Structures are given as structure tokens and as C-alpha cells.
Amino acid sequence: MSVSTEPVQAEKSLSREDKKTLSLAALGGTLEFYDFVIYALYIETVVKPLFLPADLAAGIWGDIFAWGGFAAGYLARPIGGMVMAHFGDTLGRKKMFTLSIFMMAIPTLLIGLMPTYATIGIAAPILLIVFRVLQGAAIGGEMPGAWVFIAEHSPKKHYGLGIGVLTGGIAGGILLGFSISLSIDVIYADNRAAITDYAWRIPFIIGGIFGLVAVYLRRFLSETPVFQEMAKNKSLSKEIPIVTVVKKHRFACVLTGLLTWSLSTTIMLGILFTPVKVLQGIYGIDPMITRISGLIAAICLVIGCITCGIFEDKIKTRKVSVLFWGGLIVTSAIFYSTLSSILEPYQSNQLTQGTLFTVMALYGLMGFFAGCTSLPPILATRMFPPNIRFSGLSFSYNLSYAIFSAITPAVAIALLKITPMGVAYYLWFVAILAIAVAFFPLAHKGWTAEDEPLINDSKVPLSNSSLT
């Protein structure tokens, strides 16, 4: 039988301390996710020409290796995530929340300083993959940890807003990545050779420094009220949290995994893959234009994430899922079909001013509805009881990310070989999947809907701000 009471702080508004916590967490998420995604923005212009042998870089295997390097970061997520989640559920959320960003900053800095294939040969791509794996282990702890941290700090009536702002902050890392890479393009517009000579290192070095700044900022965060109360009542899990997750919360893991598939595909294909591989790779649009397009989509994504969180608080899960995931289906259909109707695949397309405006506007609209990616963490954090929440979310989220993000680039590349609408078809599939998951009671009501027992040996009710 579930143990639950009306949360003591359920209806309180965001306090000044809540706002500070949310701001610092969102800023840290921005800086850390920037470190993780900046690699994707330089796959075509840096990774392939500088870190692979020329004969490999030119073919489809070069695409698979380069994007596989990006996906390698996801393969390490389950291990890093489970280790950090274990200690997050037993020692505290804040400690792991700070450790994860430190673990991200160092490999990012090292990528910016490392020699290329021309200098050290095959060791260059091997080292690059190693650093990506280390980044993956770090982000595996960061993302679930950040969502749990904010979910347990947010009042009930602002729960969607809290996670929406945090997810928008994380998406801001993509925006920051596009902004800095675009700045490099503008600064070196008359000396493009300088970018591959040395200027590509600047975003990675900046990212490493950003990460270390974020480590410092997180010193000012406080432990979540939920963890503090569990520690005070001695109601922390008496067994290894992941064991409890696997034994008693398998269905929550399945639903979280499916939602993660939808989230990861939307971000990877819709926001990161499309400017580089579709606009630039398939339609031959100038790299600077594709970065501007990506920047616009990223701005709209941040706005969409926050808006989606607000709507979650107002109209609730099932309606907002249909609205935002459905909006992604419609806008992606319009965007990708418009591209294929006005541009020639595998040609160097020079865009007229009107065509350029159309492409950017439609991509921005799709980016806004990609804000549906706020919904998976909103649903997933409430599907697990407090004692094993970090471990449950981290295990299912990272395992799903590792499986589906590792294969998604290869699947997307294969689909694009068949049809220019390949990315759209994949996005439609995961959007429909996410809508279906939202209609399960466990997803839209939370862990108490399944009458799953709270692992609370002392039987003391926990007065969480929103998630008991």
C-alpha cells in the first residue's frame, strides 16, 4: 500500500530561494550541455577532415564513424548515470549534481587541446572517442540529477514550470553552441583555413572553462527538501537503489525508456542533425546559413520548453502531450516537405531571400514544438518514489539513451538515402509513441497510480514540495 500525504508545501509559490536554485541549475545545465553538443556542430567541418584518414572521411563510413563518435558519448551514459544515481540516492543529490559537471569540463578542455590525425595518426580518433565516453559518463549523471534536483525543489503548482525552465536551460546549451560556432564563422569569414588550423579549438576550450565556472556556481545550491527529510527520518533505501528499481518498478522503467527515445530523437535529429546533415549535407546550403538556422531553432526550442512546462501546470499531461507532440508532427511535416519541394538534394543550393526566410521560419516553428522534450522528464520524475527516484530515472533514461541514440544517426542516414523526408518519418514515429505513453495512468498521475509501495521502512510520510 502506498504511503502518501498531502504535500506540506504543495501550493506555495516560488520563493526567492527557489528562483535562485532554478536559475543556477538551469545555467549549469546550459554550460554542461554545451560541452556535450559542441562536438556535433563540428562533425562536418572539423571531426571528419581533421580526425579521420582522408579515404575514410569522404564516404558513408566517415559519416557513421563521425556521428558514431557523437553517439559514443551516449553509450557511456548508463554506467556514469547508475553510479552517480546510486550515490545521489544514498549520499545526496547536490554532491553528484556538482561532480557531474566537473567530469564534463575536463574532457571538453582536453578535446580543445589534443593533436589531430596529421600529428598522431590513429591515436587521434581513439582519443576523441575516449573523451566522448568520459563526457557521456558525466552527462549520464547530470541530466537525471538535474531533473530530480529541480522536481524536488519545485512547488506542486509550478512543477511543470520548474522542469520546463531547467530543460530550456539545458537546451540553451545548444543555443550557446550555435552562437559560439557562428561567431567563429563570422570572425574567420575571410580566413576559413584558420578554422581548421586552430580556431575550431576555441569553442572546446571555452566549454571547459565554462564547465569549471559551473562547478563553482553549484556550491551555492542547497540539498533538496525531499532528500533532507528522508535522511532526517532515516527512510533512505535500505538496499541498493537500483535493485529496488529493477525488482519493483519495471513498468516505470519501460515507460521512461520510451519517453527518452522520443526526447533523444527529437533533439538529436530535429535540432543537432538537421542543420549539419540535412540543410548542409543533403541540400548543400552554406554552413553559415545552416548555423543561423540552427540558432533560430535553438532559440525557439528554449522558448518551447518553458512554454510546454507552463502548459503542463495549466492543462495537464494528456492535453499538453497531444498539443506539443502533435505540433511537432505537423510542423516537421511542413518543414521537411517544403525543403524537398523547393531545393534540390545533393546540389549547392543558393537561397533567395524569400526562400531563406521561409526555411528559417518553418525551422523555428518546428523548434518551438520540439519543446515537447520538457514532457519526458516531467512524466518520468513522478513515476518513481522519492527513495529510488534518482536511480530509477537514471537507469531507464540512460539505458534508453544509450540504445536508441547509438543507432539513431545510422538509421537517419539510411533513411535519407531513401528519401529526403527520412528524418521527418522518424520524428513522427517517436512523437506518436510519446503521446501514447502519456495516456498511461502511471505517466500522467505518478507512481501512486500503480499502488507501488514506497520504500520507507519507518513508514513516515515524506512532505515533498511536489513529488511524494
Side-chain angles (χ1 to χ4, degrees), residues 25-60:
L27 176 61
T30 297
L31 299 181
E32 181 160 7
F33 202 63
Y34 163 85
D35 285 357
F36 190 68
V37 303
I38 193 67
Y39 172 97
L41 304 183
Y42 281 99
I43 282 178
E44 295 294 329
T45 55
V46 172
V47 175
K48 288 169 66 175
L50 296 185
F51 288 91
L52 297 177
D55 57 341
L56 178 61
I60 188 172

PDB file of all heavy atoms in Angstrom, residues 25-60:
ATOM      1  N   ALA A  25      20.689  26.124 -11.447  1.00  0.00           N
ATOM      2  CA  ALA A  25      20.620  24.788 -12.045  1.00  0.00           C
ATOM      3  C   ALA A  25      20.487  24.893 -13.557  1.00  0.00           C
ATOM      4  O   ALA A  25      21.132  24.151 -14.307  1.00  0.00           O
ATOM      5  CB  ALA A  25      19.458  24.009 -11.458  1.00  0.00           C
ATOM      6  N   ALA A  26      19.638  25.814 -14.029  1.00  0.00           N
ATOM      7  CA  ALA A  26      19.445  25.985 -15.471  1.00  0.00           C
ATOM      8  C   ALA A  26      20.722  26.480 -16.129  1.00  0.00           C
ATOM      9  O   ALA A  26      21.098  26.018 -17.224  1.00  0.00           O
ATOM     10  CB  ALA A  26      18.293  26.946 -15.738  1.00  0.00           C
ATOM     11  N   LEU A  27      21.405  27.422 -15.486  1.00  0.00           N
ATOM     12  CA  LEU A  27      22.656  27.927 -16.046  1.00  0.00           C
ATOM     13  C   LEU A  27      23.702  26.826 -16.108  1.00  0.00           C
ATOM     14  O   LEU A  27      24.404  26.666 -17.124  1.00  0.00           O
ATOM     15  CB  LEU A  27      23.170  29.097 -15.193  1.00  0.00           C
ATOM     16  CG  LEU A  27      24.529  29.671 -15.611  1.00  0.00           C
ATOM     17  CD1 LEU A  27      24.465  30.209 -17.045  1.00  0.00           C
ATOM     18  CD2 LEU A  27      24.970  30.778 -14.652  1.00  0.00           C
ATOM     19  N   GLY A  28      23.812  26.035 -15.046  1.00  0.00           N
ATOM     20  CA  GLY A  28      24.751  24.917 -15.053  1.00  0.00           C
ATOM     21  C   GLY A  28      24.421  23.920 -16.142  1.00  0.00           C
ATOM     22  O   GLY A  28      25.306  23.397 -16.823  1.00  0.00           O
ATOM     23  N   GLY A  29      23.111  23.643 -16.332  1.00  0.00           N
ATOM     24  CA  GLY A  29      22.695  22.742 -17.397  1.00  0.00           C
ATOM     25  C   GLY A  29      23.063  23.274 -18.766  1.00  0.00           C
ATOM     26  O   GLY A  29      23.479  22.525 -19.656  1.00  0.00           O
ATOM     27  N   THR A  30      22.919  24.583 -18.953  1.00  0.00           N
ATOM     28  CA  THR A  30      23.305  25.214 -20.217  1.00  0.00           C
ATOM     29  C   THR A  30      24.779  24.976 -20.512  1.00  0.00           C
ATOM     30  O   THR A  30      25.151  24.554 -21.612  1.00  0.00           O
ATOM     31  CB  THR A  30      23.034  26.729 -20.169  1.00  0.00           C
ATOM     32  OG1 THR A  30      21.640  26.960 -20.014  1.00  0.00           O
ATOM     33  CG2 THR A  30      23.516  27.413 -21.441  1.00  0.00           C
ATOM     34  N   LEU A  31      25.618  25.250 -19.520  1.00  0.00           N
ATOM     35  CA  LEU A  31      27.061  25.141 -19.718  1.00  0.00           C
ATOM     36  C   LEU A  31      27.488  23.695 -19.941  1.00  0.00           C
ATOM     37  O   LEU A  31      28.345  23.409 -20.783  1.00  0.00           O
ATOM     38  CB  LEU A  31      27.798  25.734 -18.512  1.00  0.00           C
ATOM     39  CG  LEU A  31      27.519  27.227 -18.243  1.00  0.00           C
ATOM     40  CD1 LEU A  31      28.319  27.705 -17.044  1.00  0.00           C
ATOM     41  CD2 LEU A  31      27.842  28.071 -19.470  1.00  0.00           C
ATOM     42  N   GLU A  32      26.871  22.756 -19.198  1.00  0.00           N
ATOM     43  CA  GLU A  32      27.277  21.361 -19.347  1.00  0.00           C
ATOM     44  C   GLU A  32      26.803  20.780 -20.677  1.00  0.00           C
ATOM     45  O   GLU A  32      27.536  20.068 -21.349  1.00  0.00           O
ATOM     46  CB  GLU A  32      26.768  20.511 -18.190  1.00  0.00           C
ATOM     47  CG  GLU A  32      27.215  19.065 -18.318  1.00  0.00           C
ATOM     48  CD  GLU A  32      27.175  18.298 -17.008  1.00  0.00           C
ATOM     49  OE1 GLU A  32      26.676  18.835 -16.013  1.00  0.00           O
ATOM     50  OE2 GLU A  32      27.652  17.145 -16.984  1.00  0.00           O
ATOM     51  N   PHE A  33      25.558  21.084 -21.062  1.00  0.00           N
ATOM     52  CA  PHE A  33      25.069  20.511 -22.317  1.00  0.00           C
ATOM     53  C   PHE A  33      25.778  21.140 -23.514  1.00  0.00           C
ATOM     54  O   PHE A  33      25.973  20.486 -24.538  1.00  0.00           O
ATOM     55  CB  PHE A  33      23.552  20.685 -22.433  1.00  0.00           C
ATOM     56  CG  PHE A  33      22.921  19.697 -23.372  1.00  0.00           C
ATOM     57  CD1 PHE A  33      22.973  18.339 -23.091  1.00  0.00           C
ATOM     58  CD2 PHE A  33      22.299  20.111 -24.532  1.00  0.00           C
ATOM     59  CE1 PHE A  33      22.408  17.410 -23.957  1.00  0.00           C
ATOM     60  CE2 PHE A  33      21.721  19.198 -25.397  1.00  0.00           C
ATOM     61  CZ  PHE A  33      21.787  17.842 -25.114  1.00  0.00           C
ATOM     62  N   TYR A  34      26.191  22.392 -23.384  1.00  0.00           N
ATOM     63  CA  TYR A  34      27.026  22.997 -24.422  1.00  0.00           C
ATOM     64  C   TYR A  34      28.287  22.164 -24.631  1.00  0.00           C
ATOM     65  O   TYR A  34      28.669  21.868 -25.773  1.00  0.00           O
ATOM     66  CB  TYR A  34      27.404  24.432 -24.019  1.00  0.00           C
ATOM     67  CG  TYR A  34      28.569  24.989 -24.811  1.00  0.00           C
ATOM     68  CD1 TYR A  34      28.361  25.579 -26.045  1.00  0.00           C
ATOM     69  CD2 TYR A  34      29.876  24.898 -24.331  1.00  0.00           C
ATOM     70  CE1 TYR A  34      29.429  26.069 -26.788  1.00  0.00           C
ATOM     71  CE2 TYR A  34      30.938  25.388 -25.059  1.00  0.00           C
ATOM     72  CZ  TYR A  34      30.714  25.977 -26.287  1.00  0.00           C
ATOM     73  OH  TYR A  34      31.773  26.449 -27.021  1.00  0.00           O
ATOM     74  N   ASP A  35      28.924  21.789 -23.543  1.00  0.00           N
ATOM     75  CA  ASP A  35      30.141  20.978 -23.639  1.00  0.00           C
ATOM     76  C   ASP A  35      29.877  19.671 -24.392  1.00  0.00           C
ATOM     77  O   ASP A  35      30.720  19.186 -25.145  1.00  0.00           O
ATOM     78  CB  ASP A  35      30.671  20.646 -22.237  1.00  0.00           C
ATOM     79  CG  ASP A  35      31.347  21.835 -21.577  1.00  0.00           C
ATOM     80  OD1 ASP A  35      31.450  22.892 -22.222  1.00  0.00           O
ATOM     81  OD2 ASP A  35      31.767  21.713 -20.413  1.00  0.00           O
ATOM     82  N   PHE A  36      28.691  19.096 -24.170  1.00  0.00           N
ATOM     83  CA  PHE A  36      28.385  17.797 -24.751  1.00  0.00           C
ATOM     84  C   PHE A  36      28.050  17.887 -26.242  1.00  0.00           C
ATOM     85  O   PHE A  36      28.407  17.003 -27.021  1.00  0.00           O
ATOM     86  CB  PHE A  36      27.217  17.150 -23.990  1.00  0.00           C
ATOM     87  CG  PHE A  36      26.987  15.712 -24.353  1.00  0.00           C
ATOM     88  CD1 PHE A  36      27.910  14.740 -24.013  1.00  0.00           C
ATOM     89  CD2 PHE A  36      25.846  15.321 -25.033  1.00  0.00           C
ATOM     90  CE1 PHE A  36      27.698  13.403 -24.343  1.00  0.00           C
ATOM     91  CE2 PHE A  36      25.624  13.994 -25.363  1.00  0.00           C
ATOM     92  CZ  PHE A  36      26.554  13.029 -25.018  1.00  0.00           C
ATOM     93  N   VAL A  37      27.361  18.958 -26.659  1.00  0.00           N
ATOM     94  CA  VAL A  37      26.858  19.009 -28.043  1.00  0.00           C
ATOM     95  C   VAL A  37      27.773  19.739 -29.011  1.00  0.00           C
ATOM     96  O   VAL A  37      27.575  19.637 -30.224  1.00  0.00           O
ATOM     97  CB  VAL A  37      25.453  19.649 -28.109  1.00  0.00           C
ATOM     98  CG1 VAL A  37      24.478  18.908 -27.226  1.00  0.00           C
ATOM     99  CG2 VAL A  37      25.487  21.131 -27.757  1.00  0.00           C
ATOM    100  N   ILE A  38      28.763  20.483 -28.515  1.00  0.00           N
ATOM    101  CA  ILE A  38      29.591  21.261 -29.428  1.00  0.00           C
ATOM    102  C   ILE A  38      30.286  20.352 -30.439  1.00  0.00           C
ATOM    103  O   ILE A  38      30.536  20.740 -31.586  1.00  0.00           O
ATOM    104  CB  ILE A  38      30.631  22.114 -28.634  1.00  0.00           C
ATOM    105  CG1 ILE A  38      31.273  23.160 -29.544  1.00  0.00           C
ATOM    106  CG2 ILE A  38      31.685  21.248 -27.985  1.00  0.00           C
ATOM    107  CD1 ILE A  38      30.330  24.220 -30.011  1.00  0.00           C
ATOM    108  N   TYR A  39      30.556  19.115 -30.053  1.00  0.00           N
ATOM    109  CA  TYR A  39      31.139  18.124 -30.969  1.00  0.00           C
ATOM    110  C   TYR A  39      30.289  17.968 -32.221  1.00  0.00           C
ATOM    111  O   TYR A  39      30.802  17.946 -33.346  1.00  0.00           O
ATOM    112  CB  TYR A  39      31.267  16.785 -30.236  1.00  0.00           C
ATOM    113  CG  TYR A  39      31.686  15.609 -31.096  1.00  0.00           C
ATOM    114  CD1 TYR A  39      33.011  15.192 -31.153  1.00  0.00           C
ATOM    115  CD2 TYR A  39      30.747  14.898 -31.848  1.00  0.00           C
ATOM    116  CE1 TYR A  39      33.382  14.101 -31.938  1.00  0.00           C
ATOM    117  CE2 TYR A  39      31.099  13.818 -32.630  1.00  0.00           C
ATOM    118  CZ  TYR A  39      32.425  13.426 -32.676  1.00  0.00           C
ATOM    119  OH  TYR A  39      32.788  12.346 -33.455  1.00  0.00           O
ATOM    120  N   ALA A  40      28.959  17.880 -32.052  1.00  0.00           N
ATOM    121  CA  ALA A  40      28.063  17.643 -33.190  1.00  0.00           C
ATOM    122  C   ALA A  40      28.110  18.777 -34.194  1.00  0.00           C
ATOM    123  O   ALA A  40      27.962  18.555 -35.410  1.00  0.00           O
ATOM    124  CB  ALA A  40      26.632  17.436 -32.697  1.00  0.00           C
ATOM    125  N   LEU A  41      28.322  19.993 -33.712  1.00  0.00           N
ATOM    126  CA  LEU A  41      28.314  21.149 -34.600  1.00  0.00           C
ATOM    127  C   LEU A  41      29.578  21.229 -35.458  1.00  0.00           C
ATOM    128  O   LEU A  41      29.617  21.986 -36.433  1.00  0.00           O
ATOM    129  CB  LEU A  41      28.165  22.436 -33.781  1.00  0.00           C
ATOM    130  CG  LEU A  41      26.933  22.490 -32.862  1.00  0.00           C
ATOM    131  CD1 LEU A  41      26.851  23.833 -32.170  1.00  0.00           C
ATOM    132  CD2 LEU A  41      25.658  22.204 -33.642  1.00  0.00           C
ATOM    133  N   TYR A  42      30.595  20.437 -35.109  1.00  0.00           N
ATOM    134  CA  TYR A  42      31.844  20.462 -35.867  1.00  0.00           C
ATOM    135  C   TYR A  42      32.161  19.127 -36.550  1.00  0.00           C
ATOM    136  O   TYR A  42      33.293  18.901 -36.972  1.00  0.00           O
ATOM    137  CB  TYR A  42      33.000  20.876 -34.949  1.00  0.00           C
ATOM    138  CG  TYR A  42      33.045  22.367 -34.724  1.00  0.00           C
ATOM    139  CD1 TYR A  42      32.509  22.932 -33.573  1.00  0.00           C
ATOM    140  CD2 TYR A  42      33.589  23.216 -35.682  1.00  0.00           C
ATOM    141  CE1 TYR A  42      32.521  24.299 -33.376  1.00  0.00           C
ATOM    142  CE2 TYR A  42      33.616  24.589 -35.493  1.00  0.00           C
ATOM    143  CZ  TYR A  42      33.078  25.118 -34.344  1.00  0.00           C
ATOM    144  OH  TYR A  42      33.089  26.482 -34.157  1.00  0.00           O
ATOM    145  N   ILE A  43      31.161  18.268 -36.668  1.00  0.00           N
ATOM    146  CA  ILE A  43      31.402  16.966 -37.285  1.00  0.00           C
ATOM    147  C   ILE A  43      31.850  17.103 -38.737  1.00  0.00           C
ATOM    148  O   ILE A  43      32.841  16.485 -39.159  1.00  0.00           O
ATOM    149  CB  ILE A  43      30.147  16.076 -37.169  1.00  0.00           C
ATOM    150  CG1 ILE A  43      30.051  15.512 -35.747  1.00  0.00           C
ATOM    151  CG2 ILE A  43      30.190  14.926 -38.186  1.00  0.00           C
ATOM    152  CD1 ILE A  43      28.835  14.655 -35.497  1.00  0.00           C
ATOM    153  N   GLU A  44      31.143  17.904 -39.527  1.00  0.00           N
ATOM    154  CA  GLU A  44      31.456  18.016 -40.947  1.00  0.00           C
ATOM    155  C   GLU A  44      32.713  18.846 -41.199  1.00  0.00           C
ATOM    156  O   GLU A  44      33.503  18.532 -42.088  1.00  0.00           O
ATOM    157  CB  GLU A  44      30.275  18.631 -41.708  1.00  0.00           C
ATOM    158  CG  GLU A  44      29.015  17.759 -41.708  1.00  0.00           C
ATOM    159  CD  GLU A  44      29.208  16.465 -42.482  1.00  0.00           C
ATOM    160  OE1 GLU A  44      29.990  16.454 -43.461  1.00  0.00           O
ATOM    161  OE2 GLU A  44      28.586  15.453 -42.097  1.00  0.00           O
ATOM    162  N   THR A  45      32.905  19.916 -40.441  1.00  0.00           N
ATOM    163  CA  THR A  45      33.999  20.852 -40.724  1.00  0.00           C
ATOM    164  C   THR A  45      35.289  20.545 -39.974  1.00  0.00           C
ATOM    165  O   THR A  45      36.360  21.008 -40.390  1.00  0.00           O
ATOM    166  CB  THR A  45      33.561  22.293 -40.384  1.00  0.00           C
ATOM    167  OG1 THR A  45      33.115  22.342 -39.020  1.00  0.00           O
ATOM    168  CG2 THR A  45      32.441  22.741 -41.304  1.00  0.00           C
ATOM    169  N   VAL A  46      35.217  19.767 -38.885  1.00  0.00           N
ATOM    170  CA  VAL A  46      36.419  19.504 -38.085  1.00  0.00           C
ATOM    171  C   VAL A  46      36.666  18.013 -37.863  1.00  0.00           C
ATOM    172  O   VAL A  46      37.751  17.494 -38.185  1.00  0.00           O
ATOM    173  CB  VAL A  46      36.338  20.233 -36.716  1.00  0.00           C
ATOM    174  CG1 VAL A  46      37.495  19.811 -35.810  1.00  0.00           C
ATOM    175  CG2 VAL A  46      36.339  21.732 -36.916  1.00  0.00           C
ATOM    176  N   VAL A  47      35.688  17.309 -37.312  1.00  0.00           N
ATOM    177  CA  VAL A  47      35.908  15.912 -36.918  1.00  0.00           C
ATOM    178  C   VAL A  47      36.312  15.059 -38.121  1.00  0.00           C
ATOM    179  O   VAL A  47      37.319  14.343 -38.071  1.00  0.00           O
ATOM    180  CB  VAL A  47      34.653  15.326 -36.233  1.00  0.00           C
ATOM    181  CG1 VAL A  47      34.857  13.840 -35.948  1.00  0.00           C
ATOM    182  CG2 VAL A  47      34.359  16.082 -34.940  1.00  0.00           C
ATOM    183  N   LYS A  48      35.542  15.112 -39.195  1.00  0.00           N
ATOM    184  CA  LYS A  48      35.834  14.268 -40.359  1.00  0.00           C
ATOM    185  C   LYS A  48      37.148  14.645 -41.048  1.00  0.00           C
ATOM    186  O   LYS A  48      37.989  13.775 -41.296  1.00  0.00           O
ATOM    187  CB  LYS A  48      34.659  14.293 -41.336  1.00  0.00           C
ATOM    188  CG  LYS A  48      33.440  13.528 -40.815  1.00  0.00           C
ATOM    189  CD  LYS A  48      32.206  13.771 -41.627  1.00  0.00           C
ATOM    190  CE  LYS A  48      32.313  13.234 -43.037  1.00  0.00           C
ATOM    191  NZ  LYS A  48      31.038  13.391 -43.774  1.00  0.00           N
ATOM    192  N   PRO A  49      37.394  15.926 -41.353  1.00  0.00           N
ATOM    193  CA  PRO A  49      38.654  16.249 -42.045  1.00  0.00           C
ATOM    194  C   PRO A  49      39.905  16.189 -41.182  1.00  0.00           C
ATOM    195  O   PRO A  49      40.991  15.934 -41.691  1.00  0.00           O
ATOM    196  CB  PRO A  49      38.420  17.669 -42.573  1.00  0.00           C
ATOM    197  CG  PRO A  49      37.374  18.245 -41.695  1.00  0.00           C
ATOM    198  CD  PRO A  49      36.497  17.101 -41.302  1.00  0.00           C
ATOM    199  N   LEU A  50      39.777  16.418 -39.870  1.00  0.00           N
ATOM    200  CA  LEU A  50      40.971  16.509 -39.023  1.00  0.00           C
ATOM    201  C   LEU A  50      41.257  15.271 -38.191  1.00  0.00           C
ATOM    202  O   LEU A  50      42.399  15.064 -37.772  1.00  0.00           O
ATOM    203  CB  LEU A  50      40.852  17.716 -38.072  1.00  0.00           C
ATOM    204  CG  LEU A  50      40.810  19.097 -38.718  1.00  0.00           C
ATOM    205  CD1 LEU A  50      40.822  20.177 -37.653  1.00  0.00           C
ATOM    206  CD2 LEU A  50      41.973  19.305 -39.678  1.00  0.00           C
ATOM    207  N   PHE A  51      40.241  14.431 -37.958  1.00  0.00           N
ATOM    208  CA  PHE A  51      40.446  13.296 -37.063  1.00  0.00           C
ATOM    209  C   PHE A  51      40.264  11.942 -37.741  1.00  0.00           C
ATOM    210  O   PHE A  51      40.366  10.906 -37.082  1.00  0.00           O
ATOM    211  CB  PHE A  51      39.505  13.409 -35.855  1.00  0.00           C
ATOM    212  CG  PHE A  51      39.907  14.492 -34.903  1.00  0.00           C
ATOM    213  CD1 PHE A  51      39.404  15.777 -35.049  1.00  0.00           C
ATOM    214  CD2 PHE A  51      40.812  14.249 -33.884  1.00  0.00           C
ATOM    215  CE1 PHE A  51      39.786  16.794 -34.189  1.00  0.00           C
ATOM    216  CE2 PHE A  51      41.209  15.254 -33.029  1.00  0.00           C
ATOM    217  CZ  PHE A  51      40.691  16.538 -33.168  1.00  0.00           C
ATOM    218  N   LEU A  52      40.030  11.928 -39.058  1.00  0.00           N
ATOM    219  CA  LEU A  52      39.900  10.680 -39.799  1.00  0.00           C
ATOM    220  C   LEU A  52      40.830  10.692 -41.013  1.00  0.00           C
ATOM    221  O   LEU A  52      41.102  11.755 -41.567  1.00  0.00           O
ATOM    222  CB  LEU A  52      38.453  10.492 -40.280  1.00  0.00           C
ATOM    223  CG  LEU A  52      37.360  10.362 -39.221  1.00  0.00           C
ATOM    224  CD1 LEU A  52      36.001  10.255 -39.902  1.00  0.00           C
ATOM    225  CD2 LEU A  52      37.611   9.171 -38.325  1.00  0.00           C
ATOM    226  N   PRO A  53      41.305   9.539 -41.452  1.00  0.00           N
ATOM    227  CA  PRO A  53      42.071   9.489 -42.695  1.00  0.00           C
ATOM    228  C   PRO A  53      41.193   9.932 -43.865  1.00  0.00           C
ATOM    229  O   PRO A  53      39.980   9.696 -43.866  1.00  0.00           O
ATOM    230  CB  PRO A  53      42.485   8.022 -42.812  1.00  0.00           C
ATOM    231  CG  PRO A  53      41.551   7.277 -41.915  1.00  0.00           C
ATOM    232  CD  PRO A  53      41.163   8.214 -40.822  1.00  0.00           C
ATOM    233  N   ALA A  54      41.780  10.556 -44.865  1.00  0.00           N
ATOM    234  CA  ALA A  54      41.025  11.166 -45.958  1.00  0.00           C
ATOM    235  C   ALA A  54      40.137  10.172 -46.693  1.00  0.00           C
ATOM    236  O   ALA A  54      38.996  10.489 -47.049  1.00  0.00           O
ATOM    237  CB  ALA A  54      41.990  11.842 -46.940  1.00  0.00           C
ATOM    238  N   ASP A  55      40.630   8.953 -46.935  1.00  0.00           N
ATOM    239  CA  ASP A  55      39.831   7.978 -47.676  1.00  0.00           C
ATOM    240  C   ASP A  55      38.596   7.532 -46.896  1.00  0.00           C
ATOM    241  O   ASP A  55      37.563   7.195 -47.477  1.00  0.00           O
ATOM    242  CB  ASP A  55      40.676   6.768 -48.072  1.00  0.00           C
ATOM    243  CG  ASP A  55      41.329   6.092 -46.880  1.00  0.00           C
ATOM    244  OD1 ASP A  55      41.430   6.735 -45.817  1.00  0.00           O
ATOM    245  OD2 ASP A  55      41.744   4.919 -47.002  1.00  0.00           O
ATOM    246  N   LEU A  56      38.671   7.539 -45.579  1.00  0.00           N
ATOM    247  CA  LEU A  56      37.526   7.162 -44.752  1.00  0.00           C
ATOM    248  C   LEU A  56      36.545   8.322 -44.609  1.00  0.00           C
ATOM    249  O   LEU A  56      35.331   8.129 -44.668  1.00  0.00           O
ATOM    250  CB  LEU A  56      38.001   6.719 -43.367  1.00  0.00           C
ATOM    251  CG  LEU A  56      36.917   6.333 -42.353  1.00  0.00           C
ATOM    252  CD1 LEU A  56      36.101   5.143 -42.853  1.00  0.00           C
ATOM    253  CD2 LEU A  56      37.536   6.021 -41.000  1.00  0.00           C
ATOM    254  N   ALA A  57      37.053   9.524 -44.456  1.00  0.00           N
ATOM    255  CA  ALA A  57      36.218  10.696 -44.198  1.00  0.00           C
ATOM    256  C   ALA A  57      35.276  10.991 -45.353  1.00  0.00           C
ATOM    257  O   ALA A  57      34.182  11.538 -45.151  1.00  0.00           O
ATOM    258  CB  ALA A  57      37.089  11.915 -43.911  1.00  0.00           C
ATOM    259  N   ALA A  58      35.651  10.626 -46.561  1.00  0.00           N
ATOM    260  CA  ALA A  58      34.875  11.007 -47.741  1.00  0.00           C
ATOM    261  C   ALA A  58      33.621  10.167 -47.961  1.00  0.00           C
ATOM    262  O   ALA A  58      32.694  10.604 -48.647  1.00  0.00           O
ATOM    263  CB  ALA A  58      35.759  10.935 -48.986  1.00  0.00           C
ATOM    264  N   GLY A  59      33.532   8.972 -47.404  1.00  0.00           N
ATOM    265  CA  GLY A  59      32.413   8.080 -47.688  1.00  0.00           C
ATOM    266  C   GLY A  59      31.412   7.974 -46.561  1.00  0.00           C
ATOM    267  O   GLY A  59      31.493   8.676 -45.542  1.00  0.00           O
ATOM    268  N   ILE A  60      30.454   7.072 -46.738  1.00  0.00           N
ATOM    269  CA  ILE A  60      29.400   6.884 -45.739  1.00  0.00           C
ATOM    270  C   ILE A  60      29.962   6.374 -44.417  1.00  0.00           C
ATOM    271  O   ILE A  60      29.453   6.690 -43.342  1.00  0.00           O
ATOM    272  CB  ILE A  60      28.304   5.924 -46.272  1.00  0.00           C
ATOM    273  CG1 ILE A  60      27.115   5.900 -45.281  1.00  0.00           C
ATOM    274  CG2 ILE A  60      28.870   4.511 -46.477  1.00  0.00           C
ATOM    275  CD1 ILE A  60      25.915   5.156 -45.806  1.00  0.00           C
TER     276      ILE A  60
END
